[in-house]
Amino acid sequence: MVVTGWLLRRAARHPRPFLVSAADGTRARLRCEAEIARRRWRPALSPAEAGLLVVCGAPGDELSEAVRTIWDGLPSPRARADLPGDASHDLVAHALDRAVARLADGAAPGRPHGGPDPGDLPMADRGPDRDGLSLDRLHVPLGPVLPDWPSGLVVETVLQGDVIQEATVRWLEDGEPFWAEPWDRAAAGRPVTRGEAGRRRAAAHLDGLGRLLSVAGWPAAARSARTVRDRLLADAPREALTAPYERLARQVRRSGTLRWMLRGVGPAGDGDALARLEARLTATRAAIGSIADEAPLDEDRPAGNLLNPDLLVGAELATARLMVASLDPGPAVAHA
Amino acid sequence: MPELGLLALPLALVVLGLAAAGLDAVLSGGRASAPFGEIARLLVQQRRRTTRPDVLLLRVGVISLVAAPLLAAVVIPLGDAPVADLSAGIVWFNAMEVCVWGALWLTGWSVNSVFPLVGAYRFVAQGLAYELPHMFALITVALGAGSLRMSEAVQAQQGLWFVVWMPLAFLIYLVSALAMAFWGPMSQPVGSDLAGGVRAELAGPDRLLFQAGRYALLVVAAGAAVPLFLGGGAGPVLPGWLWALVKTVAVLALLVWVRHRVPAVRMDRFTQVSWLVLIPLALVQLLVVGIVVV
Amino acid sequence: MSPWTAVLGLIALLAVGVLAIYLVSLLLSPREVLDARPFLSGHDPREHALSRFHVRWYAVTLVFLAFDMEMVFMYPWALVAAEVGAVALVEMFAFLGLLMVGVVYAWREGALRWS
Amino acid sequence: MAVAFWILAVVSVAAGIAVFVVDSMARATFALLASLLAVGLAFLLIDLEYLGVLIILMMVMEMLVMAVFMIMYMMNPAGLMPMKMVHNHRAAMIISAAVFVLLVAGIFLTSWPPRGGEPPADPTHQLGLAVMGPKMLVMMVIGVAILATMISTVVLATHRGRYARYGDDLERKRPLDPGEES
C-alpha cells in the first residue's frame, strides 16, 4: 500500500538500534555506537522497542543462542547487521545503510512459527525470604544481552519481589581483549607508548562511566561520557579532550542526586559506588593527562575489578545494577 | 467556550505533547522529527504478544493512560474557562491523575514479564511517596483560593500569583508533576536498568498509546501548574489563552530539561525524604497560607 | 452545554482516536501477530513472571492508607477555613499534628526504609 | 439522568459479580474497582460532586494497595493455572444471593422520609462547615483513631523495630537497613 510504504520510509529514517557485542566485538561496537550517535539515532532498550539488531564480533555458542532469542523478539519491520570484530568505519556505515534500506522496504522476513509452547511454563515456586516470609521465587538471569551491561557477564539471580535472594556469576568469554591490547602488544615485545596505553585506559574508564550513568538514569551525562570516549578513540589531541572531560567530571561531581543515590551502594574493599566513581574520575583524568607521553610502556596492565556474587545478595534490582556498573567488572582470568 | 474547548483541548494536548517529545529528542541527541518517525514506525509495526499475556488488562492499562490526562485536562482553564468548570475541579484533577497508578500497574502486570512487572511495582511505591505532598500542594491552593473550582483559583490570583507566596507548594507540585508523569528523575518505573521497565514489552499501537499517554501526562502536569500557581491567563497585552499557553510551554520545557540534568531517584531512598521533609514542608506552607487567609 | 456533556464528548473523541489507531495498525502492519517470549537478557523464562510478588514496602502502604483518610476532611476544610476563622486552623493542625506523630513513629521503627 | 443511572447501576452490579467469576487476582481487584467507580459516578448524578470524585480518588489508591496485598498472598495470582478460587461454592452463592435480596428488599420496604428543605447550593461547603462545627468531636476522635491505627499497623507490620535498627541501647547514629544486620 502507498501509505504503508510512505510510513515505512519515514520510520526508516529513525531506526531504533539494539546492540549486542561479543568479547571480540568491542572495536566494532565502539565504532557502531559512535556512528549511531553521529546519525542521531536513539538506541532501544529492549527487543520490543528495537527495529534494528546490530551484532558486533563473533559470538560464541551461548551468546549466539541468546542473540537468536533476541532476534525472534523483534517485531517487523526489522533488520539485522552482523559486524566483524575489526569492522572499519566504512564497513559499519555501509552495514547500517543497508539495514536502513531493508527497513524502508519493510520486507518482513518470514519467520518460523511456534517454538516452545508458551502455555506449558510452570508457576514460580516458593522459598524462604529475608523478611521471614515464604513467597514465590523467580529465576531471572541478567546478561548476556542487556543494555548497559558488561560484555560476556551473566548473573543468574533468584528474585523475590525485586530483591535478589541468590546470585551466581559466570563469564561467557574471557573479557574484552580490546581494552588490554596495548599491554598485550607491549608484552609481546612490540613498541607501545605510555600515551597510547593511557588513551585506551581513559576510553575504557569512560565506556564504563557511560554505562554507570545510563543505569543511574542519567542518559544525558552518559552521552557526554561516550562522546569524550569516541573522541579519544578517534585520536583527538589532548587539548581537544581536557575541556569536555573536565566539564563532564564537574557535572557528575556536582550532582547531589547522584551522590545521594550512589552512597552506600555495593560496599567493597575500595569503598562504595560513590567512592569508586570518584576514583574512576581521578584515574580518567590522569590517563587523559598522559596521552601525549611518548615514553615506552613498561608497566603491567592495571588490574580490573572482580564481581563477588555475595555483594548482590539482598540487594534490590536497581541497586544491584548500580553495583555492577560501578564495579565495571571483568572475568577473573588475567590477561598476559 | 466549552464547544470550542472540546476541540482545542485535544489539539493542544497533541501539539504540546509532540513539542515536548521533539524537544526531548533533541536534548537526547536525536532529531526534532524523531517523534514523527516513531509514530510512523509504530503504526506499521507488527503487533507483538508475550507468553500468556492478559490482553484485556493490557488494553485497559494503555488506554486509561491516555484517558487519565485527557480527563484531568478538562478542568484546566484554556484562558478564562475550562471545558468543564467543576465545583470540585481540583479534586477531580487529583483523582484523574491517580488513575495513572492503575494504568501503569496494569500495563506492567499484564505482559507477564519480569522487567515490566518490577517497573509496575516501582510506580506504586512512587505513588505512595509523592501523592501526599502532592495533595497538600493542591490543598494549599484550595485554601488560598477558598474554593475547589479551578476558575476561582485563577480569580484569586488576580492581584498576586500563588507562586509568590506559596513557593514551597509550587516546588513540591513540580516534584510531584515529575513523579506522576514518571519523567526524568522520577522515571524509575520505565528505567533503563529494567530495559525500559513497564514499557519493555510493548510494540505497535500499544506502545504508541503508552508513549502518547506519557507525554499527555507531562503536558497536563505542566498545564495544571498555570491555573494553580501562575495566575492562569493573567498577563499584559496578550489574550488570556495565549498567556496560559506561554506559561504552560515554559513549565513543560522546564520539566523536559530537568530530565537531562538530574539522574533517576530510587524510591527506597526518596520515600523517607518525602515523608519526613516534603510533607512537613508542605504543612508549614499550608500553615503560612492558613494564617494569611484567616 | 453542561460540563458533563463536554466530558462525555471528550470521551467519545478519545474512543474514536484509540479505535482509529488500532484500526490503522490493523490495516497497515503485518497481519500475523508476533508471539514473543518475554525479554530476559536473551534467555527463555523458566517460569511465569506473574507470581506472588513480595513488596518490601508493605509497611509504607499501611501508614499511607491511614494518613490518606485525613484528606477526606482536608478538601472541605480548605473551603471553609477562611470563613470559620482561626479555630479551624488550630483544629486542623492539631489533627495533622497527631498524624505527624504517627509518621515520626513509623520512621523511627524503620517502616519507611526497606532496603 | 435515568439512563445514566441505570447504566451505572448495571455496571456496578455486573462488575461486582465479575469479582467472583474471574480467576485472576488482578482482574478481580480491577473489577471491584470498576464497580466502585460506577458508584462514585452515580454520586455525581445527584450533584454530590465532591463525594463522587473523592470516591474515585480514594478507591483507585486503595484498590491498588489491595491488589498489591492480594497478589502477595494468594496462590496463582494471575489465574494462569486452572484452579477454583472460591471455597464452599454452593453455600457462598446462597448466602450472597440471600444478602443481596435482603438488601434490595430493604430499599423498597423502607418508607423513605420526604425531603425537608432545599439542598444546599454547595454541598462541599456545607460538609466543611459540618466538619468544623457540629462534627468537630467526631473528627478529633477519628484523628486519634488514625494515629492508633498507624502505630498498631507499624508495630504489626515491621518485624525489625528501632532496637534492630539503632542497636540495643539505641546508640547507633545511622540505622541499619534491612539486609545489613550482622
Side-chain angles (χ1 to χ4, degrees), chain B residues 6 45-47 49-51 59 74 94 109 112 121 128 135 147 201 205-206 267-268 271-272 276 294, chain C residues 6 10 22 25-26 29 31-32 34-36 38-39 48-50 55 57 71 75 79 86 107 113-115:
Chain B
L6 204 55
Q45 191 174 50
Q46 185 179 24
R47 282 154 297 133
R49 183 169 57 200
T50 43
T51 308
R59 295 282 142 74
V74 299
N94 196 183
W109 167 268
N112 192 8
Y121 276 89
L128 297 173
M135 282 177 164
S147 168
E201 301 286 358
D206 297 326
M267 284 307 121
D268 59 336
T271 302
Q272 189 157 322
L276 294 174
V294 163
Chain C
L10 272 180
Y22 279 105
S25 163
L26 210 58
S29 69
R31 261 219 1 251
E32 198 171 294
L34 170 62
D35 275 311
F39 175 54
H48 284 295
L50 299 183
V55 288
W57 30 264
M71 292 300 163
Y75 277 116
L79 275 186
W107 161 66
R113 301 275 297 172
W114 63 87
S115 77

Side-chain angles (χ1 to χ4, degrees), chain B residues 133-196:
Chain B
H134 175 71
M135 282 177 164
F136 280 121
L138 294 181
I139 285 167
T140 311
V141 171
L143 181 63
S147 168
L148 294 172
R149 207 181 272 277
M150 279 281 192
S151 59
E152 284 173 17
V154 174
Q155 287 290 314
Q157 301 178 61
Q158 286 302 329
L160 190 62
W161 293 2
F162 280 170
V163 65
V164 179
W165 56 298
M166 307 176 185
L168 283 177
F170 181 59
L171 285 178
I172 289 169
Y173 177 82
L174 287 184
V175 172
S176 60
L178 290 171
M180 76 173 83
F182 43 104
W183 181 262
M186 297 297 188
S187 64
Q188 272 256 304
V190 290
S192 58
D193 59 332
L194 289 182

Side-chain angles (χ1 to χ4, degrees), chain A residues 53-92:
Chain A
L53 180 67
V54 184
V55 182
C56 306
D61 289 345
E62 195 174 341
L63 187 58
S64 294
E65 184 59 28
V67 168
R68 203 183 54 77
T69 307
I70 297 294
W71 176 239
D72 283 347
L74 253 70
S76 300
R78 55 178 192 163
R80 176 171 171 166
D82 289 272
L83 301 171
D86 58 353
S88 67
H89 288 291
D90 290 343
L91 187 71
V92 170

Side-chain angles (χ1 to χ4, degrees), chain D residues 9 55 112:
Chain D
I55 289 175
W112 297 100

